Structures are given as C-alpha cells and as structure tokens.
Amino acid sequence: MIRSEWFFWLVGAVFLIMAAQMAGDRTNPKRHGSAAFWGLLGVAFVYSSWVADGSAPAEPLGVAVLVMICLGGFGFTGKGVPRTTDDRERTELAARWGNRLFVPALTIPLVAVVCSVLVAKWSIGGEPVLEDGSETILGLGIGALIALGVGMWVLRERSPSVPVHAGRSLLESMGWALLLPQLLAVLGAIFQTAGVGTQVGRITEEVLPDGQRLAAVALYCVGMAVFTIIMGNAFAAFPVMTAAVGWPVLLVQMDGSPAGVMAVGMLAGFCGTLVTPMAANFNLVPAALLELKDQYGPIKAQAPTAAAMLGCNIAIIYFFAF
C-alpha cells in the first residue's frame, strides 16, 4: 500500500533540502533565519507522523510552530539569489518552448484524477494500492513527481539541482504566506470548537424572518463570503456558517439538499477569497511575483467577478437546492 504518510515525508525532505541550500547561500543576508524557518517546517512534516500515532509528544511540535511564527513575524526570513535563469533567459525559453510549457502543469491534475478515479480501485493481494481515504492527496503527490519528470524531459534538463534551485526561489519569494491557508483552516476549527458558529446561529434565529427562504440563503452565502474575507480561507469560514445557518436553518428547517447547499455555499466562500488580502498567497503574492505597481491589483480586478458569482450562488441554492 502506498501511504499518504510517505508523501508528507517527501514534502518534509524537500523543505529540509531547500533549508540546507538557504543556510549556505551568502547572497541572502537573512539566510540563517530562512533556513531555520523552512527547516523546522520540514522537520514538522516528518515528526507529525509520530505525534499522530501517539508515539511522540506533541509539545516539541508546538514549540517549533511558535518559533516559526517568531521567525516569520519579526522579519528574520529573507530571499537570496538562487542559481537559476534570469528574466532574459526566461523570455527566450518561453518563446522557444511556447505552449509546451503547460504540459507539466496539466500533468498534475490529470494524474490526480486518474489516481482518485481508477487507481483507487486497484488492489494487490486484497490490499488497495493507494491508502484508503487518501487517494486524492496521493494522486496529487504522484502527479507532482511525474510532472517533474515530464518537465525535465520537455525542457531537456538533466540536472536535478535546477528544479530544486528554481523551487527554492519561488519558496523564498512567497515566504511565510505559503502557510497562511493551513493556519487559517486551523483557525476555523478553533472557532468551531469555541462555539462561534453556535453563537452566530442564535443571533441569526433572532433576526431571520420565519419561513423566508431567500433571506436565509442570502444570509448563508453572504456570511460565507464575509467570514472568508475576515479569515482569508473559505475552509475556515465553512464550519462557522454551516453550524450557524447551513445545517439548522437550510437543511433541518427548510429540508434543503445537503450536497447542493454545502457545495454551493463553499463556492460563495470562494467569492470572498477573491477580494481579501488575508488570502495572501492568492492575491498579494502574485502581485509581488509579477512586480505589479498596485499590490491590490488582483483584488480590484477580481471584485466584479466575485460579486456576480455570489449573486449566482444565491440563486442556485434558492432555485435548485430545495
């Protein structure tokens, strides 16, 4: 059986290799802080396996997270000059290879779909080839490895150090914001445990007119978008708004379709993702990588689409989820 744990170990190993590169990169004035940040993350990916099975204490992992927060929050991480192509070379290569550059990127979702739909049904000696329940994440990992090989073949690249250096450059450019979705998703779980959704639900019952389906649907969708704007992640907003409105009102009281309400409700949350700087890796990091003059340019460009999509999501739930 191919276990999802192996994929996480591989991710951790990649972070550790890049951390070692950062530690030796004298072009980065903050190389020690950068190496410590990403090195701790790599160790966490591996050590978490023993925390999950109860064979190791969780306290060291918590300390590592706090140290990473300090390193990122107080500006101890920076960016070096990795050995990779410059802007002129990238322009020349883009003109040379054209649309073939999209082949590696498209390989990842293709392999992920094949693994989750077809390979998930395969078994050897009665044991499934892919760990049960982890087919999608394993498909993503396998797809990334295959895409790496495809990319090196398409670009006629023989040295494995080239993609590692290029990946490190992207990692340093994104910085701590790369971890923001995971941190905010955990925040949603904390809010749910603290009972935020229950309290919001009580307030909702006080102000929501009885039997007004359109008002309830609009409140759920707009609430998903607003909480996503606040927390930067629809996955963090989902448990709060579902506990407050989605489950007790739309599903229990109004007998809505769970699949329709929940799936489209999540899409409503994604409308908030399009217009929040809290979703830094989606909205602020691209502006930095593209060197846009206005760091909020992507948000301004996406706002009309977000508003239109939110209206459509409200209509879809109202007309088709009941």
Side-chain angles (χ1 to χ4, degrees):
M1 177 190 292
I2 301 176
R3 300 165 55 192
S4 59
E5 205 169 30
W6 300 350
F7 172 57
F8 294 126
W9 292 349
L10 177 60
V11 173
V14 171
F15 282 131
L16 289 172
I17 291 172
M18 292 184 176
Q21 289 182 333
M22 295 174 192
D25 184 6
R26 297 186 178 278
T27 64
N28 183 357
K30 300 179 179 180
R31 64 182 184 276
H32 299 301
S34 297
F37 182 91
W38 297 109
L40 284 172
L41 181 62
V43 170
F45 266 90
V46 179
Y47 184 79
S48 297
S49 297
W50 294 292
V51 174
D53 63 19
S55 61
E59 287 78 8
L61 194 60
V63 172
V65 172
L66 293 176
V67 172
M68 289 172 60
I69 292 173
C70 293
L71 290 172
F74 290 104
F76 288 106
T77 60
K79 181 181 179 181
V81 183
R83 297 190 298 273
T84 183
T85 54
D86 56 27
D87 292 340
R88 180 186 60 80
E89 291 173 320
R90 292 192 187 99
T91 301
E92 293 177 353
L93 289 172
R96 176 183 176 185
W97 298 110
N99 290 333
R100 281 177 288 180
L101 293 174
F102 291 101
V103 173
L106 295 175
T107 300
I108 298 177
L110 177 62
V111 174
V113 170
V114 171
C115 288
S116 60
V117 175
L118 298 178
V119 181
K121 301 178 181 179
W122 295 356
S123 61
I124 299 177
E127 292 289 335
V129 174
L130 302 180
E131 182 180 9
D132 186 36
S134 301
E135 296 86 358
T136 301
I137 190 67
L138 285 171
L140 179 64
I142 295 171
L145 293 174
I146 294 176
L148 174 61
V150 170
M152 295 181 68
W153 174 73
V154 169
L155 299 177
R156 305 293 190 269
E157 180 57 61
R158 297 182 179 180
S159 174
S161 65
V162 172
V164 174
H165 284 291
R168 177 168 69 90
S169 176
L170 182 61
L171 195 68
E172 290 180 329
S173 296
M174 297 183 69
W176 60 265
L178 180 69
L179 306 181
L180 196 58
Q182 289 74 25
L183 297 176
L184 293 173
V186 173
L187 179 62
I190 294 174
F191 275 19
Q192 179 60 21
T193 303
V196 175
T198 302
Q199 296 303 319
V200 174
R202 292 175 179 175
I203 297 173
T204 300
E205 292 177 357
E206 294 291 334
V207 302
L208 189 65
D210 293 335
Q212 292 296 318
R213 181 182 297 173
L214 180 59
V217 171
L219 180 62
Y220 179 56
C221 291
V222 173
M224 277 292 301
V226 170
F227 266 88
T228 300
I229 291 172
I230 294 172
M231 294 189 281
N233 192 308
F235 293 99
F238 186 77
V240 176
M241 287 307 301
T242 298
V245 183
W247 177 265
V249 179
L250 298 181
L251 299 185
V252 177
Q253 294 183 17
M254 300 184 177
D255 196 27
S257 166
V261 172
M262 301 302 178
V264 182
M266 182 64 79
L267 290 177
F270 294 153
C271 296
T273 303
L274 293 174
V275 293
T276 175
M278 289 295 290
N281 59 326
F282 289 110
N283 297 328
L284 299 186
V285 170
L289 293 177
L290 296 174
E291 299 181 351
L292 301 181
K293 295 181 179 180
D294 184 0
Q295 65 173 336
Y296 300 111
I299 293 177
K300 294 176 181 177
Q302 293 164 174
T305 301
M309 287 178 59
L310 183 59
C312 291
N313 290 331
I314 293 173
I316 291 171
I317 293 180
Y318 180 74
F319 288 110
F320 300 106
F322 297 93

